[in-house]
């Protein structure tokens, strides 16, 4: 599903350059649930943003679902991004003046899905994340955990091949974090490929594999016995 070879990325700042990714090799098959760990500044978000086609590497190869991702026009990149990828961020990134349902329906609008079908699908995904009753509410009327579940519903509504989550529980307390991980595990149980950036050990162990980044390289890549989040939510 995802294959990257010898990926490098530097940030240029004036005459200085910060080499952040120094030859990353990584692959993930369909249906995997991978945690990407590493201390702050180790390049986790940089890697995820490249995988998510929000940013480009300086060199190396990236193949997503058999498609080589390189030198794409803005339009083509946007098309692939909408078709292949769903995003979840620490800060939820919901649109404040739109209801939960409108937020979930938004990616479908960009896919030119007709209005009625958009609303039906959005409601269906809200129901799947347990928030059907909250469809008409605005984000500021929802708790942090509910906001993140709306964000997950929005990401899934476009039926992406890969869900990329950058510290999805970073702004949530433990109990709420486990509820969000429970949802992520259920989505993965249905066969979806998911990458979760986290620096929390307990969250990483709710994935099936942990990849450790340090100083721009992968220093460890191991399978783990998955802890089910449902054991921690009543
Ligand atoms: P992490 O997500 O692991 O905390 P990041 O990928 O966000 O790490 O950042 C890795 C390093 O790159 C950090 O030192 C950060 O300050 C730097 N960095 C990130 N984004 C940029 C940018 N757009 N311009 C310059 N430096 C950046
Ligand atoms: Mg980060």
């Amino acid at each position: 599903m995802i294959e990257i070879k010898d990926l490098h990325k530097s940030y240029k700042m004036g005459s200085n350059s910060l080499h952040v990714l120094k030859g990353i090799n990584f692959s993930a098959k369909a249906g995997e649930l991978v945690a990407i760990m590493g201390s702050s500044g180790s390049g986790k978000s940089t890697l995820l943003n490249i995988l998510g086609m929000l940013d480009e590497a300086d060199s190396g190869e990236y193949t997503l679902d058999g498609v080589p991702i390189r030198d794409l026009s803005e339009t083509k990149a946007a098309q692939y991004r909408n078709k292949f990828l769903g995003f979840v961020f620490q800060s939820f990134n919901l649109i404040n003046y739109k209801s939960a349902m409108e937020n979930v329906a938004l990616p479908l609008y960009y896919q030119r899905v007709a209005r009625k079908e958009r609303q039906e699908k959005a409601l269906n995904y809200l129901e799947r994340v347990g928030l059907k009753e909250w469809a008409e509410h605005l984000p500021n009327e929802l708790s942090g955990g509910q906001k993140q579940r709306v964000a997950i519903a929005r990401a899934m509504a476009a039926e992406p091949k890969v869900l990329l989550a950058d510290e999805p529980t970073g702004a949530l307390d433990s109990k709420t974090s486990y509820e969000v991980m429970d949802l992520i595990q259920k989505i993965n149980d249905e066969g979806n490929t998911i990458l979760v950036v986290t620096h929390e050990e307990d969250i990483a162990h709710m994935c099936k594999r942990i990849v450790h980044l340090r100083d721009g390289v992968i220093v460890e890549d191991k399978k783990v016995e998955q802890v089910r989040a449902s054991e921690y939510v009543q």
Side-chain angles (χ1 to χ4, degrees):
M1 178 60 69
I2 288 175
E3 186 137 20
I4 60 175
K5 284 191 190 138
D6 202 23
L7 206 75
H8 286 261
K9 174 74 180 177
S10 298
Y11 291 112
K12 282 156 198 66
M13 291 166 294
S15 54
N16 292 326
S17 163
L18 182 67
H19 200 177
V20 177
L21 301 179
K22 303 173 182 167
I24 303 278
N25 293 290
F26 169 80
S27 60
K29 294 195 192 72
E32 285 207 72
L33 173 53
V34 186
I36 299 172
M37 291 198 81
S39 54
S40 180
S42 59
K44 304 182 296 297
S45 295
T46 300
L47 176 60
L48 208 73
N49 289 345
I50 293 170
L51 291 173
M53 299 172 64
L54 298 170
D55 198 359
E56 274 182 278
D58 299 329
S59 64
E61 287 172 31
Y62 174 23
T63 313
L64 176 59
D65 199 32
V67 178
I69 304 299
R70 65 138 64 111
D71 302 331
L72 297 174
S73 66
E74 280 291 314
T75 322
K76 200 78 193 158
Q79 271 173 17
Y80 282 155
R81 209 181 296 127
N82 289 336
K83 187 168 143 199
F84 285 131
L85 301 158
F87 295 93
V88 177
F89 300 97
Q90 175 173 353
S91 51
F92 322 124
N93 294 10
L94 297 176
I95 295 174
N96 287 325
Y97 57 86
K98 287 189 182 285
S99 70
M101 184 179 67
E102 288 167 337
N103 267 283
V104 176
L106 199 59
L108 301 171
Y109 171 83
Y110 291 118
Q111 290 186 349
R112 295 161 196 244
V113 176
R115 185 183 165 86
K116 193 157 184 298
E117 194 186 336
R118 285 204 303 269
Q119 294 189 337
E120 278 170 13
K121 273 198 165 180
L123 269 183
N124 184 286
Y125 276 92
L126 278 177
E127 186 170 19
R128 286 171 64 178
V129 302
L131 291 174
K132 198 180 178 191
E133 276 68 49
W134 294 84
E136 300 303 330
H137 287 254
L138 294 172
N140 66 13
E141 298 168 327
L142 305 177
S143 69
Q146 288 176 322
K147 282 183 204 166
Q148 197 58 299
R149 278 148 62 199
V150 172
I152 292 171
R154 177 183 57 184
M156 295 310 296
E159 295 174 18
K161 304 235 181 214
V162 180
L163 182 63
L164 301 171
D166 195 350
E167 311 220 21
T169 64
L172 306 174
D173 61 60
S174 300
K175 181 175 169 285
T176 312
S177 295
Y178 297 153
E179 285 167 8
V180 165
M181 283 310 292
D182 183 39
L183 179 58
I184 285 178
Q185 289 181 333
K186 283 175 177 151
I187 292 169
N188 174 250
D189 289 343
E190 290 167 11
N192 294 291
T193 313
I194 310 181
L195 270 53
V196 180
V197 164
T198 181
H199 54 248
E200 294 157 295
E201 200 68 52
D202 53 345
I203 298 298
H205 281 271
M206 291 175 174
C207 299
K208 295 170 173 170
R209 173 179 163 197
I210 302 178
V211 169
H212 230 106
L213 268 183
R214 188 180 301 144
D215 297 331
V217 291
I218 292 177
V219 289
E220 189 177 37
D221 185 344
K222 62 180 182 190
K223 280 208 161 97
V224 288
E225 190 69 41
Q226 186 182 39
V227 175
R228 294 300 298 199
S230 58
E231 292 172 25
Y232 296 89
V233 293
Q234 76 294 341

